[in-house]
Structures are given as structure tokens and as C-alpha cells.
Amino acid sequence: MYREQKKMEDREKLVKSMASKLATGNGLEIIATARKKKKLQVVVYSASTVLLFLIIAIILYSKAPDKDLSSEKADNSDNLKINSLGLLANDLRNKAITFNQYAFYLRDMLIRYDSLPQQYRPAMPDLRTQDVYDSLSVIWSRIDLKNRQQLLKDLPKLEHHLKEYRVNNFTSRAK
């Protein structure tokens, strides 16, 4: 019985203290102040995290393009020296070869690489079949009809690739 009486007294003291705090407003002010502090801390931590992330992103972005551009320039100069397709395209731009010659050189790259002229055969060729077919598709309308027929005979997959290229090219322009 002593325990129960002790609990009752403790409860009454607690209720009286809470009632006095509520009556004076001190309890509500304390709670409101604590909530404001927590909200302020959350806002400060969130804002500082976002700000730190943005600073890091800006630093990385400002430095990364410079490195990429210089490495791309170096890669492009190396690729022009090594890539047969790049050498051919360069000669076509400079009008050293015609569109028909260009098309047949591309065919030779796919069928018989050894028959290419020596200047288009680097020691370490970097060549992908898809790139050759893409190059042929780009210039297809500029090739003579007779030469187109010969290329279609020599490269059976070419007709299918030309259709795909037209569809892909048409959908990319529509976007």
C-alpha cells in the first residue's frame, strides 16, 4: 500500500508542475524553442550539404572539360594517323579521291584489306565494320548507279544496312 501511495503522490507532483508550466506558458515556450532549434539545425545542415555538393560539382565540371578536350585532340590526331577510314575521309574532303573511289576503298576494307593502296593501310588498323557501312550509307546517293549495283553484289549486307540507316536517320531528324 505504501508503494501505491508513493506513486499517487509522484503523479500529483508531476501534474501540478505540468499544470503550473502550462498556466504560466513557460512549458509551451520551452517546447516551441526546442522545435525551432531542431528545424533550424535541419535547414542549416541540409543547406550546407547542398552547397558543398554544388561547389564540388562546379569544381569537377570546370576542370573536366579542359582535360577531355586536350585528350580528345590528342586522340583525334592519333586516330587520323592510324584509322584507315579517317585517312580515306580526309582524302575525300581534300578531293584527292572521288566518291566512287571512296566507296570501293570502303568495300576493299571489308572484303580484301590487302588490296587497299599502301597509304590507307596503317600497321595497326583501327577499323569497325559498322563504321564502314555508315560511311557508305552517307555517300550512297553520290555514287554512280553502275557502281552501286556492283557494291550491292559485293556486299550482301549493304542493302539491309542502307534501309536501317535511312530509318534511323529519318527518326533522328524527326525528333
Side-chain angles (χ1 to χ4, degrees):
M1 185 149 172
Y2 178 71
R3 281 186 187 171
E4 290 178 17
Q5 190 178 11
K6 182 73 173 163
K7 284 183 183 180
M8 290 295 283
E9 288 175 5
D10 288 341
R11 277 188 204 149
E12 287 178 20
K13 286 181 185 176
L14 182 63
V15 170
K16 283 181 186 178
S17 96
M18 289 179 78
S20 67
K21 287 179 182 176
L22 288 174
T24 60
N26 289 342
L28 294 176
E29 289 176 10
I30 293 170
I31 293 170
T33 307
R35 285 183 180 167
K36 286 180 184 177
K37 284 182 182 178
K38 282 186 180 180
K39 285 181 183 179
L40 182 63
Q41 287 176 345
V42 168
V43 169
V44 168
Y45 290 142
S46 299
S48 62
T49 303
V50 168
L51 185 63
L52 183 62
F53 176 75
L54 288 175
I55 290 171
I56 290 172
I58 289 170
I59 290 171
L60 291 176
Y61 180 75
S62 66
K63 290 189 177 186
D66 295 338
K67 291 179 183 175
D68 289 344
L69 288 176
S70 63
S71 65
E72 284 180 18
K73 288 177 184 175
D75 289 345
N76 286 341
S77 64
D78 290 342
N79 282 343
L80 287 177
K81 293 176 187 171
I82 296 174
N83 190 351
S84 302
L85 197 56
L87 292 170
L88 276 170
N90 193 27
D91 279 355
L92 183 65
R93 273 191 300 270
N94 295 335
K95 297 183 180 180
I97 58 174
T98 66
F99 286 104
N100 291 322
Q101 288 173 318
Y102 181 74
F104 282 105
Y105 287 152
L106 292 176
R107 179 203 61 188
D108 291 344
M109 280 183 188
L110 294 173
I111 295 176
R112 48 183 182 262
Y113 186 78
D114 293 341
S115 67
L116 279 173
Q118 189 62 39
Q119 71 258 27
Y120 301 125
R121 286 189 290 156
M124 300 278 295
D126 179 24
L127 188 61
R128 285 184 277 168
T129 305
Q130 186 69 31
D131 293 341
V132 175
Y133 279 120
D134 286 343
S135 298
L136 266 171
S137 298
V138 169
I139 64 154
W140 188 251
S141 61
R142 296 182 176 188
I143 301 172
D144 295 339
L145 183 61
K146 180 180 138 188
N147 292 332
R148 284 188 204 172
Q149 291 171 345
Q150 182 63 39
L151 287 169
L152 287 171
K153 279 183 195 174
D154 295 342
L155 302 170
K157 294 181 181 181
L158 180 59
E159 188 171 359
H160 176 69
H161 183 77
L162 287 169
K163 289 177 186 175
E164 283 183 18
Y165 184 81
R166 286 183 196 136
V167 169
N168 291 339
N169 206 11
F170 178 73
T171 56
S172 66
R173 287 182 185 169
K175 292 179 183 178

